[in-house]
Amino acid sequence: MDWMGFLQNFLVLFLELTALFIVISFLVSLLQQVVTEEKIKSILQKGNKATGYISGTLLGALTPFCSCSTIPILAGLLSSGAPFGPSISFLISSPLLNPVIVILLWKLLGFKLTAFYVISMFIFAVLAGLIFNTLGLEKHLRNVKIRRSQNGEGQKESKWIIALKDAWSFFYPVLPYLLFGVLIGAVIHDFIPADFISSIAGKDHPFAIPVAAIIGIPMYIRVETMIPISEALVSKGMSMGAVIALIIGGAGASLPEVLLLNKLFKPRLLTAFIVSILIGATVTGYILYFTF
């Protein structure tokens, strides 16, 4: 066993991902200081319906990275009168298109795949919001009242200092998951035979795609963890479609997110949300399966 090679691969990948995560988090924090919740609501309410869905999807990509912060923002938007369909587009695009995920995908899986992923998730978020609104699922929202935070009005800290603090606050909770993901990825890359991976989830096993999408939800591996693992799985022969389906399923409807949404969505709407993520993950996976 080449333990020195394993250690070198682990350290290089971990340091590269750490630097990328902190830099992108810093830049996103600067952007979020401009794009506030009030501005999001204002933008969603402007223009025609088509631009509302596109705006909701774009704004979702600029929001915080985890459901614990995205869903309270969603609840605040809905309770203050933001349109339902674009708000759903916002909810779906937020975990799937945030800049950190996109940059990590680009670094590990290449530009071509990342471009396909971004375009697919953008279209998926817009269509999901449109379909949810057309089906009249807004009536299955729970009546949730949101308390507004009172701090921040007198805050005079530099935006750069705030961005640095935010970058650290984003990175610190993710650090254990990133370490775990890089470790598992390095183990797969250096010690798991390629024949084993390809025999259960390779090009000859198309049914691995819906299975991967379903597994992603209860498994709850954060995307920051899953991406380095995915790179190793792809290098060992796992089909790109199955890997992307796993990422979309886990990021789009993770177990903690579903539990939080249960406070906001009634059962029918919650079920529709989960099913939509599974369909999006499976369809995207099969498109990749037949084209890459």
Side-chain angles (χ1 to χ4, degrees), residues 96 199 256 277 291:
L96 293 174
S199 68
I277 295 296
T291 57

Side-chain angles (χ1 to χ4, degrees), residues 26-250:
F26 176 81
L27 295 175
V28 169
S29 176
L30 291 176
L31 189 56
Q32 288 175 351
Q33 293 178 53
V34 177
V35 185
T36 62
E37 182 178 331
E38 290 72 22
K39 287 189 178 180
I40 292 173
K41 178 188 171 186
S42 174
I43 292 171
L44 291 183
Q45 290 177 328
K46 288 180 180 178
N48 56 41
K49 291 183 177 180
T51 58
Y53 292 107
I54 294 172
S55 298
T57 301
L58 288 172
L59 291 168
L62 307 178
T63 56
F65 310 129
C66 63
S67 54
C68 60
S69 49
T70 299
I71 292 176
I73 291 177
L74 173 71
L77 290 173
L78 292 171
S79 65
S80 61
F84 173 70
S87 296
I88 293 297
S89 296
F90 172 90
L91 169 68
I92 290 175
S93 69
S94 182
L96 293 174
L97 284 176
N98 80 66
V100 170
I101 303 307
V102 173
I103 295 298
L104 293 184
L105 273 174
W106 189 355
K107 166 66 179 64
L108 293 175
L109 301 180
F111 173 79
K112 187 176 180 180
L113 175 63
T114 304
F116 171 83
Y117 173 87
V118 169
I119 293 170
S120 299
M121 292 302 97
F122 188 93
I123 294 172
F124 169 55
V126 170
L127 288 178
L130 180 61
I131 292 170
F132 275 44
N133 191 62
T134 302
L135 293 176
L137 293 175
E138 184 175 7
K139 62 179 176 288
H140 297 288
L141 284 169
R142 297 186 190 276
N143 186 20
V144 178
K145 299 296 183 182
I146 303 298
R147 291 186 196 175
R148 300 292 179 180
S149 174
Q150 299 299 319
N151 58 1
E153 286 295 323
Q155 192 172 14
K156 299 296 182 181
E157 272 190 311
S158 162
K159 63 180 180 179
W160 307 103
I161 298 298
I162 294 173
L164 284 172
K165 289 181 177 180
D166 284 346
W168 174 250
S169 69
F170 290 146
F171 175 70
Y172 181 73
V174 169
L175 179 58
Y177 301 99
L178 191 61
L179 276 169
F180 180 72
V182 174
L183 176 63
I184 298 301
V187 168
I188 293 172
H189 186 275
D190 287 288
F191 300 125
I192 303 298
D195 291 344
F196 174 75
I197 300 294
S198 60
S199 68
I200 59 175
K203 279 281 189 179
D204 296 329
H205 299 275
F207 290 108
I209 292 171
V211 171
I214 294 170
I215 289 174
I217 294 177
M219 196 165 77
Y220 183 45
I221 295 180
R222 290 184 64 128
V223 177
E224 295 86 358
T225 304
M226 194 60 230
I227 288 178
I229 296 175
S230 299
E231 188 271 342
L233 290 171
V234 169
S235 72
K236 289 293 184 175
M238 187 172 182
S239 74
M240 199 72 76
V243 169
I244 289 298
L246 182 65
I247 290 174
I248 295 172

